[in-house]
């Protein structure tokens, strides 16, 4: 698509910085990639405003803050600019970014954004380029070349960053410092009967095998109930229903999750029956600790920011073992101090220690 001059330019397009300082409206884009980085946005915004002032713009700078990583973040920039141009077709805009690598960490994306901005009549200024840039005929040709070079450098840096992250994740996983969840959702760990649901399922499947009860009856007895918000589905069940929060739980046992748990337990048993006994003891101990201290379901609350510090710390020291008990130490009797060493050298890495001293297992947001 050919680049057309902006309709209000009367055939002229800006080539140098001085061509946009008087009549162009500076639109600054601040962006972070995750909620954890959101605290950096105010500093970015202030820096962009200060830069616009130092450059000498006569029009007030307008800042758009975007929390989105990668390609989606770049698309948001384009969407914002398109909407501005559609609402104000006769206004002239110039886009301000902190640096070229904040436009796109992928060379193709960076070049595509530059082209699309130019098609809208919007040149680009970044703090690491001393003059205007933009797809021909917009911008200083030397700056256009530097833009391409900086984009390539940013992409190379991103590749190294991604590889370093993968290597770190692999090393961490080897020490039991991993993310994710155990084979079942945490709410099903708990019981008021002194045994974890894992153990109840393991013992209950013997009754199913003997024909004394059905899989649905076992699932229902252990609290795995079919859940739906669909009025049509509720009506089709034809059973008494009870409203719990936003969910409707009906009388049929939901066998899907119990089957997954039993599959994991059977796999452990086939490999080593003694390991299964240990595994069930661990789950019983976790369930009892959390049940006794009355923070049932805390580890399953979403988003994760709602979970208590104790719940997060206990998850950190136990999740690796619960996912693979053959590769990681028993979090109840042995513990994994490597998990604590992410933050401090004090923790022993047991479930009880995580419950008693959660702060030594959790990285504090700075």
């Amino acid at each position: 698509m050919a680049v057309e001059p902006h309709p209000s330019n009367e055939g002229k397009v800006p080539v140098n910085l001085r061509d946009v300082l008087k009549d162009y409206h500076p639109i600054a884009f601040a962006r972070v990639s995750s909620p954890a980085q959101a605290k950096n946005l105010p500093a970015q915004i202030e820096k962009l405003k200060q830069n616009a002032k130092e450059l000498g713009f006569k029009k007030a700078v307008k800042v758009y803050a975007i929390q989105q990583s990668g390609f989606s973040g770049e698309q948001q920039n384009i969407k914002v600019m398109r909407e501005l141009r559609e609402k104000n077709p006769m206004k002239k805009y110039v886009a301000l970014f902190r640096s070229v690598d904040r436009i796109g960490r992928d060379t193709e994306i960076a070049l595509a954004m530059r082209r699309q901005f130019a098609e809208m009549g919007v040149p680009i200024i970044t703090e690491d380029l001393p003059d205007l840039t933009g797809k021909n005929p917009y911008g200083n040709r030397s700056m256009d070349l530097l833009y391409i070079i900086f984009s390539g450098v940013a992409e190379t840096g991103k590749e190294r960053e991604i590889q370093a992250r993968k290597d770190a994740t692999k090393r961490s996983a080897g020490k039991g410092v991993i993310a994710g969840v155990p084979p079942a959702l945490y709410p099903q760990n708990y019981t008021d009967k002194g045994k974890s649901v894992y153990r109840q399922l393991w013992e209950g499947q013997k009754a199913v095998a003997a024909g004394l009860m059905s899989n649905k009856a076992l699932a229902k007895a252990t609290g795995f109930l079919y859940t739906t918000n669909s009025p049509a589905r509720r009506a089709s069940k034809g059973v008494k229903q009870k409203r719990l929060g936003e969910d409707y739980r009906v009388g049929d046992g939901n066998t899907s999750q119990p089957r997954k748990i039993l599959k994991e337990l059977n796999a452990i048993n086939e490999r080593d029956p003694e390991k299964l006994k240990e595994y069930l003891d661990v789950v019983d101990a976790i369930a009892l600790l959390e049940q006794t201290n009355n923070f049932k379901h805390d580890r399953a609350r979403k988003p994760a920011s709602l979970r208590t510090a104790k719940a997060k710390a206990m998850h950190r020291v136990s999740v690796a073992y619960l996912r693979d008990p053959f590769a990681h130490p028993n979090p109840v009797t042995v513990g994994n101090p490597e998990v604590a060493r992410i933050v401090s050298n004090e923790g022993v890495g047991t479930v009880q220690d995580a419950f008693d001293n959660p702060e030594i297992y959790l990285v504090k947001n700075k």
Side-chain angles (χ1 to χ4, degrees), residues 234-247:
R234 295 199 304 272
S236 71
K237 304 304 293 185
V239 294
K240 187 177 180 180
Q241 302 155 8
K242 183 179 181 182
R243 182 73 186 264
L244 295 175
E246 293 302 316
D247 294 329

Side-chain angles (χ1 to χ4, degrees), residues 123-272:
I124 294 172
I125 297 172
T126 69
E127 292 181 27
D128 52 355
L129 291 178
D131 208 339
L132 206 64
T133 183
K135 177 71 174 174
N136 186 42
Y138 291 86
N140 181 312
R141 297 287 75 79
S142 297
M143 295 306 101
D144 295 347
L145 180 59
L146 277 176
Y147 180 90
I148 295 171
I149 294 172
F150 287 173
S151 298
V153 171
E155 181 174 353
T156 303
K158 184 66 172 179
E159 289 174 352
R160 288 197 298 267
E161 178 185 318
I162 291 172
Q163 187 58 50
R165 193 180 302 145
K166 287 180 179 178
D167 293 343
T169 301
K170 187 176 181 180
R171 289 194 299 272
S172 296
K175 297 178 179 180
V177 187
I178 59 177
V181 295
L185 302 178
Y186 277 123
Q188 280 73 46
N189 284 356
Y190 303 96
T191 173
D192 296 319
K193 302 174 183 177
K195 297 179 180 179
S196 67
V197 172
Y198 280 47
R199 187 178 294 278
Q200 290 183 63
L201 285 172
W202 180 253
E203 294 176 352
Q205 73 171 341
K206 299 174 185 177
V208 174
L212 300 177
M213 69 188 308
S214 66
N215 282 317
K216 281 190 176 182
L218 176 61
K220 183 178 179 180
T222 48
F224 294 90
L225 301 179
Y226 180 76
T227 305
T228 180
N229 274 327
S230 165
R233 188 64 183 271
R234 295 199 304 272
S236 71
K237 304 304 293 185
V239 294
K240 187 177 180 180
Q241 302 155 8
K242 183 179 181 182
R243 182 73 186 264
L244 295 175
E246 293 302 316
D247 294 329
Y248 287 88
R249 296 178 179 268
V250 304
D252 283 349
N254 181 357
T255 60
S256 175
Q257 195 66 37
R259 281 199 304 269
K260 293 178 183 178
I261 296 172
L262 287 170
K263 180 180 178 181
E264 296 287 341
L265 297 180
N266 278 304
I268 297 171
N269 187 57
E270 288 175 8
R271 186 171 171 182
D272 185 349

Side-chain angles (χ1 to χ4, degrees), residues 45-166:
I45 292 170
E46 189 57 37
K47 187 68 171 67
L48 286 163
K49 287 182 176 179
Q50 183 62 30
N51 188 45
K53 182 178 179 180
E54 291 174 356
L55 289 172
F57 275 96
K58 305 301 181 185
K59 307 287 187 183
V61 62
K62 187 170 185 179
V63 181
Y64 287 87
I66 295 170
Q67 182 186 296
Q68 191 86 51
S69 65
F71 181 71
S72 297
E74 278 84 58
Q75 292 303 299
Q76 286 296 315
N77 296 338
I78 294 172
K79 179 182 177 184
V80 166
M81 190 56 71
R82 285 198 186 281
E83 290 176 350
L84 281 173
R85 289 284 291 107
E86 288 172 0
K87 290 179 181 178
N88 307 285
M90 299 308 292
K91 275 190 177 180
K92 295 183 280 190
Y93 296 103
V94 57
L96 275 64
F97 293 89
R98 190 181 70 190
S99 58
V100 173
D101 65 2
R102 301 312 297 167
I103 296 175
R105 299 293 291 272
D106 179 284
T107 304
E108 291 184 13
I109 291 175
L111 293 177
M113 182 178 293
R114 179 166 151 267
R115 183 187 68 251
Q116 291 190 53
F117 270 45
E119 288 170 355
M120 291 183 275
V122 181
I124 294 172
I125 297 172
T126 69
E127 292 181 27
D128 52 355
L129 291 178
D131 208 339
L132 206 64
T133 183
K135 177 71 174 174
N136 186 42
Y138 291 86
N140 181 312
R141 297 287 75 79
S142 297
M143 295 306 101
D144 295 347
L145 180 59
L146 277 176
Y147 180 90
I148 295 171
I149 294 172
F150 287 173
S151 298
V153 171
E155 181 174 353
T156 303
K158 184 66 172 179
E159 289 174 352
R160 288 197 298 267
E161 178 185 318
I162 291 172
Q163 187 58 50
R165 193 180 302 145
K166 287 180 179 178

